[in-house]
Each structure stands twice: as structure tokens, then as C-alpha cells.
Amino acid sequence: DGKPRASILAVLLVSLFAVTDEWHQSFTPRRRAAFDDWALDTASATLALYVWSRLAERYGKRSAHKAEALLPTGIAEGGP
């Protein structure tokens, strides 16, 4: 989407959150921390950004803005 820094930051934040979630799960009874769960979370964030950028490229900015309207307000506007 022309914003590689923002995309990289988004994936890094998702990955960091996934790491802290796995760490938290290691202290929760009947739960386990798993590398594969963290990897899947990180890969899913990467895939979502890839698909979003391809859709925006294919359908243009007008359609991307329509799709952003479906997001919760804080996400669509770039935060609170």
C-alpha cells in the first residue's frame, strides 16, 4: 500500500502482542505457551496486510476507503 514502515510496524506489534500472550498462557492453568501459535499469529498479520494491499491495488483507493468505513472508528481513523 506504499507504506512499508507502517506495515512492518503493524506486524511487529502483532508479533509482540502474540509473544506476551504466549508468555501469559504459560502461567494459566490448562493452557500452554506454543511457538507455533505465535508463528501463526505473526504469519496471519502478514497475510492480512498482503491481502489488504492487493485489494487496495486492485480496486483502487475509493474501494479501500469504503472498506475502512467498516472498521471500528479507532482503527479507521488511525487511533483514538
Short mmCIF file of all heavy atoms in Angstrom, two decimals, residues 11-78:
data_model
loop_
_atom_site.label_atom_id
_atom_site.label_comp_id
_atom_site.label_asym_id
_atom_site.label_seq_id
_atom_site.Cartn_x
_atom_site.Cartn_y
_atom_site.Cartn_z
N VAL A 11 3.00 -5.50 11.83
CA VAL A 11 3.35 -6.91 12.02
C VAL A 11 4.19 -7.08 13.29
O VAL A 11 3.97 -8.03 14.06
CB VAL A 11 4.07 -7.48 10.78
CG1 VAL A 11 4.61 -8.87 11.06
CG2 VAL A 11 3.12 -7.51 9.59
N LEU A 12 5.12 -6.18 13.53
CA LEU A 12 5.94 -6.27 14.74
C LEU A 12 5.09 -6.13 16.00
O LEU A 12 5.31 -6.84 16.99
CB LEU A 12 7.05 -5.23 14.72
CG LEU A 12 8.17 -5.48 13.74
CD1 LEU A 12 9.15 -4.29 13.73
CD2 LEU A 12 8.91 -6.76 14.06
N LEU A 13 4.12 -5.22 15.98
CA LEU A 13 3.24 -5.06 17.14
C LEU A 13 2.38 -6.29 17.38
O LEU A 13 2.19 -6.72 18.52
CB LEU A 13 2.37 -3.81 16.99
CG LEU A 13 3.11 -2.49 17.14
CD1 LEU A 13 2.18 -1.32 16.81
CD2 LEU A 13 3.67 -2.34 18.53
N VAL A 14 1.85 -6.86 16.31
CA VAL A 14 1.07 -8.10 16.45
C VAL A 14 1.95 -9.21 17.01
O VAL A 14 1.56 -9.95 17.91
CB VAL A 14 0.46 -8.52 15.10
CG1 VAL A 14 -0.08 -9.95 15.16
CG2 VAL A 14 -0.65 -7.56 14.70
N SER A 15 3.17 -9.31 16.49
CA SER A 15 4.09 -10.34 16.95
C SER A 15 4.45 -10.15 18.43
O SER A 15 4.48 -11.12 19.19
CB SER A 15 5.35 -10.32 16.08
OG SER A 15 6.20 -11.38 16.42
N LEU A 16 4.68 -8.91 18.82
CA LEU A 16 4.99 -8.62 20.22
C LEU A 16 3.81 -8.96 21.12
O LEU A 16 3.98 -9.57 22.19
CB LEU A 16 5.37 -7.15 20.39
CG LEU A 16 5.66 -6.69 21.81
CD1 LEU A 16 6.88 -7.43 22.37
CD2 LEU A 16 5.88 -5.19 21.84
N PHE A 17 2.62 -8.61 20.69
CA PHE A 17 1.43 -8.95 21.47
C PHE A 17 1.28 -10.46 21.58
O PHE A 17 0.93 -10.99 22.64
CB PHE A 17 0.17 -8.33 20.85
CG PHE A 17 -1.05 -8.56 21.68
CD1 PHE A 17 -1.36 -7.71 22.73
CD2 PHE A 17 -1.89 -9.63 21.43
CE1 PHE A 17 -2.48 -7.92 23.51
CE2 PHE A 17 -3.01 -9.85 22.21
CZ PHE A 17 -3.31 -9.00 23.25
N ALA A 18 1.55 -11.17 20.48
CA ALA A 18 1.45 -12.63 20.49
C ALA A 18 2.46 -13.24 21.46
O ALA A 18 2.14 -14.20 22.16
CB ALA A 18 1.65 -13.18 19.08
N VAL A 19 3.66 -12.69 21.51
CA VAL A 19 4.68 -13.18 22.45
C VAL A 19 4.19 -12.98 23.88
O VAL A 19 4.29 -13.90 24.71
CB VAL A 19 6.02 -12.46 22.23
CG1 VAL A 19 6.97 -12.68 23.41
CG2 VAL A 19 6.68 -12.96 20.96
N THR A 20 3.66 -11.80 24.19
CA THR A 20 3.19 -11.56 25.56
C THR A 20 1.99 -12.44 25.88
O THR A 20 1.85 -12.88 27.03
CB THR A 20 2.85 -10.07 25.79
OG1 THR A 20 1.80 -9.68 24.90
CG2 THR A 20 4.06 -9.19 25.59
N ASP A 21 1.15 -12.72 24.90
CA ASP A 21 0.01 -13.62 25.11
C ASP A 21 0.50 -15.04 25.42
O ASP A 21 -0.01 -15.70 26.33
CB ASP A 21 -0.90 -13.62 23.89
CG ASP A 21 -2.13 -14.48 24.10
OD1 ASP A 21 -2.77 -14.36 25.17
OD2 ASP A 21 -2.45 -15.27 23.20
N GLU A 22 1.48 -15.50 24.66
CA GLU A 22 2.03 -16.84 24.92
C GLU A 22 2.68 -16.89 26.29
O GLU A 22 2.55 -17.88 27.02
CB GLU A 22 3.04 -17.23 23.84
CG GLU A 22 2.43 -17.40 22.46
CD GLU A 22 1.26 -18.36 22.44
OE1 GLU A 22 1.36 -19.47 22.99
OE2 GLU A 22 0.21 -17.99 21.88
N TRP A 23 3.37 -15.85 26.68
CA TRP A 23 4.00 -15.79 27.99
C TRP A 23 2.93 -15.85 29.08
O TRP A 23 3.05 -16.60 30.05
CB TRP A 23 4.83 -14.51 28.12
CG TRP A 23 5.48 -14.34 29.44
CD1 TRP A 23 6.50 -15.07 29.96
CD2 TRP A 23 5.15 -13.36 30.43
NE1 TRP A 23 6.83 -14.61 31.21
CE2 TRP A 23 6.00 -13.56 31.52
CE3 TRP A 23 4.21 -12.34 30.48
CZ2 TRP A 23 5.95 -12.77 32.65
CZ3 TRP A 23 4.16 -11.56 31.62
CH2 TRP A 23 5.02 -11.77 32.68
N HIS A 24 1.85 -15.10 28.90
CA HIS A 24 0.74 -15.12 29.85
C HIS A 24 0.13 -16.52 29.94
O HIS A 24 -0.20 -17.00 31.02
CB HIS A 24 -0.32 -14.10 29.44
CG HIS A 24 -1.56 -14.18 30.25
ND1 HIS A 24 -2.67 -14.87 29.82
CD2 HIS A 24 -1.87 -13.69 31.47
CE1 HIS A 24 -3.61 -14.78 30.75
NE2 HIS A 24 -3.16 -14.08 31.75
N GLN A 25 -0.02 -17.18 28.80
CA GLN A 25 -0.61 -18.52 28.79
C GLN A 25 0.26 -19.52 29.55
O GLN A 25 -0.26 -20.51 30.08
CB GLN A 25 -0.83 -18.99 27.35
CG GLN A 25 -1.97 -18.29 26.67
CD GLN A 25 -2.19 -18.79 25.26
OE1 GLN A 25 -1.93 -19.95 24.96
NE2 GLN A 25 -2.68 -17.92 24.40
N SER A 26 1.54 -19.27 29.63
CA SER A 26 2.42 -20.19 30.36
C SER A 26 2.11 -20.20 31.85
O SER A 26 2.47 -21.14 32.55
CB SER A 26 3.89 -19.85 30.11
OG SER A 26 4.27 -18.65 30.77
N PHE A 27 1.44 -19.16 32.34
CA PHE A 27 1.08 -19.09 33.76
C PHE A 27 -0.37 -19.49 34.02
O PHE A 27 -0.80 -19.52 35.16
CB PHE A 27 1.29 -17.67 34.29
CG PHE A 27 2.71 -17.21 34.22
CD1 PHE A 27 3.09 -16.25 33.30
CD2 PHE A 27 3.67 -17.74 35.05
CE1 PHE A 27 4.39 -15.81 33.23
CE2 PHE A 27 4.98 -17.33 35.00
CZ PHE A 27 5.34 -16.36 34.07
N THR A 28 -1.13 -19.74 32.96
CA THR A 28 -2.54 -20.04 33.09
C THR A 28 -2.77 -21.55 33.11
O THR A 28 -2.30 -22.26 32.21
CB THR A 28 -3.32 -19.43 31.90
OG1 THR A 28 -3.01 -18.03 31.84
CG2 THR A 28 -4.81 -19.61 32.06
N PRO A 29 -3.48 -22.05 34.13
CA PRO A 29 -3.74 -23.49 34.18
C PRO A 29 -4.47 -23.99 32.94
O PRO A 29 -5.31 -23.30 32.38
CB PRO A 29 -4.63 -23.64 35.42
CG PRO A 29 -4.39 -22.42 36.24
CD PRO A 29 -4.06 -21.33 35.26
N ARG A 30 -4.11 -25.19 32.52
CA ARG A 30 -4.69 -25.87 31.35
C ARG A 30 -4.43 -25.15 30.03
O ARG A 30 -5.12 -25.36 29.05
CB ARG A 30 -6.18 -26.13 31.56
CG ARG A 30 -6.48 -27.08 32.70
CD ARG A 30 -7.96 -27.37 32.85
NE ARG A 30 -8.76 -26.20 33.09
CZ ARG A 30 -9.00 -25.66 34.29
NH1 ARG A 30 -8.49 -26.20 35.36
NH2 ARG A 30 -9.76 -24.60 34.41
N ARG A 31 -3.48 -24.23 30.03
CA ARG A 31 -3.07 -23.55 28.79
C ARG A 31 -1.58 -23.80 28.60
O ARG A 31 -0.87 -24.14 29.52
CB ARG A 31 -3.31 -22.04 28.87
CG ARG A 31 -4.73 -21.59 29.09
CD ARG A 31 -5.65 -21.81 27.90
NE ARG A 31 -5.23 -21.18 26.68
CZ ARG A 31 -5.69 -20.04 26.20
NH1 ARG A 31 -6.61 -19.37 26.88
NH2 ARG A 31 -5.27 -19.58 25.06
N ARG A 32 -1.12 -23.64 27.39
CA ARG A 32 0.30 -23.81 27.13
C ARG A 32 0.79 -22.70 26.22
O ARG A 32 0.06 -22.20 25.37
CB ARG A 32 0.58 -25.16 26.48
CG ARG A 32 0.01 -25.30 25.09
CD ARG A 32 0.38 -26.64 24.45
NE ARG A 32 -0.17 -26.72 23.11
CZ ARG A 32 0.45 -26.30 22.01
NH1 ARG A 32 1.65 -25.80 22.09
NH2 ARG A 32 -0.12 -26.41 20.83
N ALA A 33 2.03 -22.31 26.41
CA ALA A 33 2.67 -21.37 25.50
C ALA A 33 3.24 -22.18 24.35
O ALA A 33 3.82 -23.24 24.56
CB ALA A 33 3.77 -20.62 26.23
N ALA A 34 3.04 -21.73 23.13
CA ALA A 34 3.48 -22.51 21.98
C ALA A 34 4.08 -21.61 20.91
O ALA A 34 3.50 -20.59 20.54
CB ALA A 34 2.32 -23.30 21.40
N PHE A 35 5.24 -22.03 20.42
CA PHE A 35 5.91 -21.31 19.34
C PHE A 35 5.03 -21.27 18.10
O PHE A 35 4.94 -20.24 17.42
CB PHE A 35 7.26 -21.98 19.04
CG PHE A 35 7.94 -21.38 17.84
CD1 PHE A 35 8.67 -20.21 17.97
CD2 PHE A 35 7.85 -21.98 16.60
CE1 PHE A 35 9.29 -19.64 16.86
CE2 PHE A 35 8.47 -21.42 15.50
CZ PHE A 35 9.19 -20.24 15.62
N ASP A 36 4.37 -22.39 17.79
CA ASP A 36 3.55 -22.44 16.58
C ASP A 36 2.37 -21.48 16.63
O ASP A 36 1.96 -20.93 15.61
CB ASP A 36 3.10 -23.86 16.28
CG ASP A 36 2.28 -24.50 17.39
OD1 ASP A 36 2.39 -24.05 18.55
OD2 ASP A 36 1.54 -25.45 17.09
N ASP A 37 1.82 -21.24 17.81
CA ASP A 37 0.72 -20.29 17.96
C ASP A 37 1.22 -18.87 17.68
O ASP A 37 0.58 -18.09 16.98
CB ASP A 37 0.12 -20.39 19.36
CG ASP A 37 -1.18 -19.64 19.50
OD1 ASP A 37 -1.83 -19.37 18.47
OD2 ASP A 37 -1.56 -19.32 20.64
N TRP A 38 2.39 -18.52 18.23
CA TRP A 38 2.99 -17.21 17.97
C TRP A 38 3.28 -17.04 16.48
O TRP A 38 2.98 -15.99 15.89
CB TRP A 38 4.28 -17.05 18.78
CG TRP A 38 5.10 -15.91 18.27
CD1 TRP A 38 4.94 -14.59 18.57
CD2 TRP A 38 6.18 -15.98 17.34
NE1 TRP A 38 5.85 -13.85 17.88
CE2 TRP A 38 6.63 -14.68 17.12
CE3 TRP A 38 6.80 -17.04 16.67
CZ2 TRP A 38 7.68 -14.40 16.26
CZ3 TRP A 38 7.86 -16.75 15.82
CH2 TRP A 38 8.28 -15.45 15.62
N ALA A 39 3.85 -18.08 15.87
CA ALA A 39 4.20 -18.01 14.44
C ALA A 39 2.94 -17.85 13.59
O ALA A 39 2.94 -17.08 12.61
CB ALA A 39 4.97 -19.26 14.03
N LEU A 40 1.87 -18.54 13.94
CA LEU A 40 0.63 -18.41 13.20
C LEU A 40 0.04 -17.01 13.33
O LEU A 40 -0.44 -16.43 12.35
CB LEU A 40 -0.40 -19.45 13.67
CG LEU A 40 -1.73 -19.45 12.94
CD1 LEU A 40 -1.53 -19.75 11.45
CD2 LEU A 40 -2.67 -20.47 13.55
N ASP A 41 0.09 -16.43 14.52
CA ASP A 41 -0.40 -15.06 14.72
C ASP A 41 0.39 -14.08 13.85
O ASP A 41 -0.19 -13.21 13.19
CB ASP A 41 -0.27 -14.64 16.19
CG ASP A 41 -1.23 -15.37 17.11
OD1 ASP A 41 -2.23 -15.92 16.61
OD2 ASP A 41 -0.97 -15.39 18.33
N THR A 42 1.70 -14.22 13.84
CA THR A 42 2.56 -13.33 13.07
C THR A 42 2.34 -13.52 11.57
O THR A 42 2.22 -12.54 10.81
CB THR A 42 4.04 -13.55 13.44
OG1 THR A 42 4.19 -13.34 14.86
CG2 THR A 42 4.95 -12.60 12.70
N ALA A 43 2.25 -14.76 11.14
CA ALA A 43 2.02 -15.05 9.72
C ALA A 43 0.64 -14.54 9.28
O ALA A 43 0.49 -14.01 8.16
CB ALA A 43 2.14 -16.54 9.45
N SER A 44 -0.35 -14.65 10.15
CA SER A 44 -1.70 -14.17 9.82
C SER A 44 -1.72 -12.66 9.65
O SER A 44 -2.40 -12.13 8.75
CB SER A 44 -2.69 -14.58 10.90
OG SER A 44 -2.79 -15.99 10.96
N ALA A 45 -1.00 -11.95 10.50
CA ALA A 45 -0.92 -10.49 10.36
C ALA A 45 -0.26 -10.11 9.05
O ALA A 45 -0.71 -9.20 8.34
CB ALA A 45 -0.14 -9.89 11.54
N THR A 46 0.79 -10.83 8.69
CA THR A 46 1.49 -10.57 7.44
C THR A 46 0.57 -10.84 6.25
O THR A 46 0.49 -10.04 5.31
CB THR A 46 2.76 -11.45 7.34
OG1 THR A 46 3.58 -11.19 8.50
CG2 THR A 46 3.55 -11.16 6.09
N LEU A 47 -0.13 -11.96 6.29
CA LEU A 47 -1.06 -12.31 5.22
C LEU A 47 -2.19 -11.28 5.10
O LEU A 47 -2.56 -10.88 3.99
CB LEU A 47 -1.63 -13.71 5.44
CG LEU A 47 -2.65 -14.18 4.39
CD1 LEU A 47 -2.00 -14.29 3.02
CD2 LEU A 47 -3.24 -15.52 4.81
N ALA A 48 -2.72 -10.85 6.21
CA ALA A 48 -3.81 -9.86 6.19
C ALA A 48 -3.35 -8.56 5.53
O ALA A 48 -4.08 -7.98 4.71
CB ALA A 48 -4.31 -9.60 7.60
N LEU A 49 -2.15 -8.11 5.86
CA LEU A 49 -1.64 -6.89 5.24
C LEU A 49 -1.39 -7.09 3.74
O LEU A 49 -1.65 -6.18 2.94
CB LEU A 49 -0.35 -6.45 5.92
CG LEU A 49 -0.56 -5.75 7.26
CD1 LEU A 49 0.77 -5.55 7.97
CD2 LEU A 49 -1.27 -4.43 7.07
N TYR A 50 -0.91 -8.26 3.37
CA TYR A 50 -0.68 -8.55 1.97
C TYR A 50 -2.01 -8.53 1.19
O TYR A 50 -2.12 -7.88 0.15
CB TYR A 50 0.01 -9.90 1.80
CG TYR A 50 0.14 -10.31 0.36
CD1 TYR A 50 1.12 -9.75 -0.44
CD2 TYR A 50 -0.72 -11.23 -0.20
CE1 TYR A 50 1.23 -10.10 -1.78
CE2 TYR A 50 -0.62 -11.59 -1.54
CZ TYR A 50 0.37 -11.03 -2.32
OH TYR A 50 0.47 -11.37 -3.64
N VAL A 51 -3.01 -9.21 1.72
CA VAL A 51 -4.31 -9.26 1.05
C VAL A 51 -4.92 -7.86 0.97
O VAL A 51 -5.45 -7.45 -0.07
CB VAL A 51 -5.26 -10.25 1.77
CG1 VAL A 51 -6.69 -10.11 1.27
CG2 VAL A 51 -4.77 -11.67 1.60
N TRP A 52 -4.84 -7.11 2.06
CA TRP A 52 -5.38 -5.75 2.07
C TRP A 52 -4.71 -4.89 1.00
O TRP A 52 -5.38 -4.15 0.27
CB TRP A 52 -5.19 -5.12 3.45
CG TRP A 52 -5.79 -3.76 3.55
CD1 TRP A 52 -5.15 -2.56 3.35
CD2 TRP A 52 -7.14 -3.43 3.85
NE1 TRP A 52 -6.02 -1.52 3.53
CE2 TRP A 52 -7.25 -2.03 3.83
CE3 TRP A 52 -8.25 -4.20 4.14
CZ2 TRP A 52 -8.44 -1.38 4.09
CZ3 TRP A 52 -9.44 -3.54 4.41
CH2 TRP A 52 -9.53 -2.16 4.38
N SER A 53 -3.39 -4.98 0.90
CA SER A 53 -2.68 -4.16 -0.09
C SER A 53 -3.04 -4.57 -1.51
O SER A 53 -3.17 -3.73 -2.39
CB SER A 53 -1.17 -4.23 0.13
OG SER A 53 -0.67 -5.52 -0.16
N ARG A 54 -3.22 -5.88 -1.76
CA ARG A 54 -3.61 -6.33 -3.10
C ARG A 54 -5.02 -5.86 -3.43
O ARG A 54 -5.30 -5.46 -4.56
CB ARG A 54 -3.53 -7.85 -3.22
CG ARG A 54 -2.15 -8.45 -3.05
CD ARG A 54 -1.15 -8.15 -4.16
NE ARG A 54 -0.58 -6.83 -4.24
CZ ARG A 54 0.49 -6.39 -3.59
NH1 ARG A 54 1.13 -7.15 -2.76
NH2 ARG A 54 0.92 -5.15 -3.77
N LEU A 55 -5.94 -5.91 -2.47
CA LEU A 55 -7.30 -5.44 -2.70
C LEU A 55 -7.32 -3.95 -2.99
O LEU A 55 -8.02 -3.49 -3.90
CB LEU A 55 -8.20 -5.77 -1.51
CG LEU A 55 -8.57 -7.23 -1.34
CD1 LEU A 55 -9.31 -7.43 -0.02
CD2 LEU A 55 -9.39 -7.74 -2.50
N ALA A 56 -6.55 -3.20 -2.23
CA ALA A 56 -6.48 -1.75 -2.45
C ALA A 56 -5.88 -1.45 -3.81
O ALA A 56 -6.33 -0.54 -4.51
CB ALA A 56 -5.66 -1.09 -1.35
N GLU A 57 -4.89 -2.23 -4.20
CA GLU A 57 -4.26 -2.05 -5.51
C GLU A 57 -5.24 -2.39 -6.64
O GLU A 57 -5.31 -1.70 -7.64
CB GLU A 57 -3.03 -2.95 -5.59
CG GLU A 57 -2.14 -2.73 -6.77
CD GLU A 57 -0.92 -3.63 -6.67
OE1 GLU A 57 -0.01 -3.30 -5.88
OE2 GLU A 57 -0.90 -4.67 -7.35
N ARG A 58 -5.98 -3.45 -6.45
CA ARG A 58 -6.89 -3.92 -7.49
C ARG A 58 -8.12 -3.02 -7.65
O ARG A 58 -8.56 -2.73 -8.75
CB ARG A 58 -7.33 -5.34 -7.19
CG ARG A 58 -8.25 -5.91 -8.23
CD ARG A 58 -8.54 -7.36 -7.98
NE ARG A 58 -9.39 -7.87 -9.04
CZ ARG A 58 -9.74 -9.11 -9.16
NH1 ARG A 58 -9.31 -9.99 -8.28
NH2 ARG A 58 -10.51 -9.50 -10.14
N TYR A 59 -8.69 -2.63 -6.53
CA TYR A 59 -9.95 -1.88 -6.59
C TYR A 59 -9.77 -0.38 -6.39
O TYR A 59 -10.74 0.37 -6.47
CB TYR A 59 -10.93 -2.42 -5.55
CG TYR A 59 -11.33 -3.84 -5.86
CD1 TYR A 59 -10.85 -4.90 -5.10
CD2 TYR A 59 -12.16 -4.12 -6.93
CE1 TYR A 59 -11.21 -6.20 -5.40
CE2 TYR A 59 -12.52 -5.43 -7.24
CZ TYR A 59 -12.04 -6.46 -6.46
OH TYR A 59 -12.39 -7.74 -6.76
N GLY A 60 -8.57 0.06 -6.13
CA GLY A 60 -8.30 1.48 -6.01
C GLY A 60 -8.60 2.03 -4.63
O GLY A 60 -9.19 1.37 -3.78
N LYS A 61 -8.17 3.25 -4.43
CA LYS A 61 -8.32 3.88 -3.12
C LYS A 61 -9.78 4.08 -2.73
O LYS A 61 -10.12 4.00 -1.57
CB LYS A 61 -7.60 5.22 -3.09
CG LYS A 61 -6.12 5.09 -3.12
CD LYS A 61 -5.46 6.41 -2.89
CE LYS A 61 -3.96 6.20 -2.80
NZ LYS A 61 -3.30 7.23 -2.06
N ARG A 62 -10.63 4.33 -3.70
CA ARG A 62 -12.04 4.57 -3.38
C ARG A 62 -12.65 3.36 -2.67
O ARG A 62 -13.32 3.49 -1.66
CB ARG A 62 -12.82 4.87 -4.66
CG ARG A 62 -14.22 5.24 -4.40
CD ARG A 62 -14.89 5.70 -5.67
NE ARG A 62 -16.27 6.01 -5.39
CZ ARG A 62 -17.16 6.22 -6.31
NH1 ARG A 62 -16.84 6.17 -7.57
NH2 ARG A 62 -18.40 6.50 -5.99
N SER A 63 -12.38 2.16 -3.18
CA SER A 63 -12.90 0.94 -2.56
C SER A 63 -12.23 0.68 -1.22
O SER A 63 -12.86 0.20 -0.29
CB SER A 63 -12.68 -0.25 -3.48
OG SER A 63 -13.45 -0.10 -4.65
N ALA A 64 -10.93 1.00 -1.12
CA ALA A 64 -10.23 0.81 0.15
C ALA A 64 -10.85 1.70 1.22
O ALA A 64 -11.01 1.28 2.36
CB ALA A 64 -8.75 1.11 0.00
N HIS A 65 -11.23 2.93 0.86
CA HIS A 65 -11.87 3.81 1.83
C HIS A 65 -13.23 3.28 2.24
O HIS A 65 -13.63 3.42 3.38
CB HIS A 65 -11.98 5.23 1.27
CG HIS A 65 -10.68 5.92 1.14
ND1 HIS A 65 -9.86 6.19 2.21
CD2 HIS A 65 -10.01 6.38 0.05
CE1 HIS A 65 -8.76 6.79 1.81
NE2 HIS A 65 -8.82 6.92 0.49
N LYS A 66 -13.95 2.66 1.31
CA LYS A 66 -15.23 2.05 1.66
C LYS A 66 -15.01 0.91 2.65
O LYS A 66 -15.76 0.76 3.61
CB LYS A 66 -15.93 1.52 0.41
CG LYS A 66 -16.52 2.58 -0.46
CD LYS A 66 -17.21 1.95 -1.66
CE LYS A 66 -17.72 2.99 -2.62
NZ LYS A 66 -18.34 2.38 -3.80
N ALA A 67 -13.97 0.12 2.42
CA ALA A 67 -13.67 -0.98 3.33
C ALA A 67 -13.26 -0.45 4.70
O ALA A 67 -13.62 -1.02 5.73
CB ALA A 67 -12.56 -1.86 2.75
N GLU A 68 -12.50 0.64 4.74
CA GLU A 68 -12.11 1.23 6.02
C GLU A 68 -13.32 1.70 6.82
O GLU A 68 -13.30 1.69 8.04
CB GLU A 68 -11.16 2.42 5.79
CG GLU A 68 -9.76 2.00 5.44
CD GLU A 68 -8.85 3.19 5.17
OE1 GLU A 68 -9.33 4.34 5.21
OE2 GLU A 68 -7.67 2.96 4.92
N ALA A 69 -14.38 2.08 6.13
CA ALA A 69 -15.59 2.52 6.82
C ALA A 69 -16.21 1.39 7.62
O ALA A 69 -16.96 1.64 8.56
CB ALA A 69 -16.59 3.07 5.81
N LEU A 70 -15.89 0.15 7.27
CA LEU A 70 -16.43 -0.99 8.00
C LEU A 70 -15.65 -1.28 9.28
O LEU A 70 -16.11 -2.02 10.14
CB LEU A 70 -16.40 -2.24 7.12
CG LEU A 70 -17.21 -2.15 5.82
CD1 LEU A 70 -16.96 -3.41 4.98
CD2 LEU A 70 -18.68 -1.99 6.12
N LEU A 71 -14.45 -0.70 9.41
CA LEU A 71 -13.62 -0.93 10.59
C LEU A 71 -14.13 -0.12 11.77
O LEU A 71 -14.77 0.92 11.59
CB LEU A 71 -12.17 -0.54 10.29
CG LEU A 71 -11.46 -1.36 9.22
CD1 LEU A 71 -10.11 -0.73 8.93
CD2 LEU A 71 -11.30 -2.79 9.66
N PRO A 72 -13.82 -0.57 13.00
CA PRO A 72 -14.18 0.24 14.17
C PRO A 72 -13.55 1.63 14.05
O PRO A 72 -12.49 1.79 13.46
CB PRO A 72 -13.59 -0.55 15.34
CG PRO A 72 -13.49 -1.94 14.83
CD PRO A 72 -13.22 -1.83 13.36
N THR A 73 -14.17 2.61 14.63
CA THR A 73 -13.77 4.01 14.47
C THR A 73 -12.30 4.25 14.75
O THR A 73 -11.62 4.90 13.97
CB THR A 73 -14.62 4.90 15.40
OG1 THR A 73 -15.98 4.66 15.11
CG2 THR A 73 -14.30 6.36 15.17
N GLY A 74 -11.77 3.75 15.85
CA GLY A 74 -10.38 3.99 16.20
C GLY A 74 -9.41 3.46 15.17
O GLY A 74 -8.38 4.05 14.91
N ILE A 75 -9.73 2.35 14.55
CA ILE A 75 -8.85 1.76 13.54
C ILE A 75 -8.94 2.54 12.24
O ILE A 75 -7.94 2.88 11.63
CB ILE A 75 -9.21 0.28 13.30
CG1 ILE A 75 -8.93 -0.53 14.56
CG2 ILE A 75 -8.41 -0.29 12.12
CD1 ILE A 75 -9.43 -1.95 14.50
N ALA A 76 -10.16 2.89 11.82
CA ALA A 76 -10.35 3.59 10.57
C ALA A 76 -9.72 4.97 10.59
O ALA A 76 -9.23 5.46 9.59
CB ALA A 76 -11.83 3.70 10.23
N GLU A 77 -9.71 5.61 11.75
CA GLU A 77 -9.17 6.96 11.86
C GLU A 77 -7.73 6.98 12.29
O GLU A 77 -7.16 8.03 12.52
CB GLU A 77 -10.02 7.77 12.84
CG GLU A 77 -11.44 7.97 12.36
CD GLU A 77 -12.31 8.64 13.38
OE1 GLU A 77 -11.82 8.93 14.50
OE2 GLU A 77 -13.48 8.89 13.09
N GLY A 78 -7.11 5.83 12.47
CA GLY A 78 -5.71 5.78 12.86
C GLY A 78 -5.49 5.84 14.36
O GLY A 78 -4.41 6.12 14.83
#
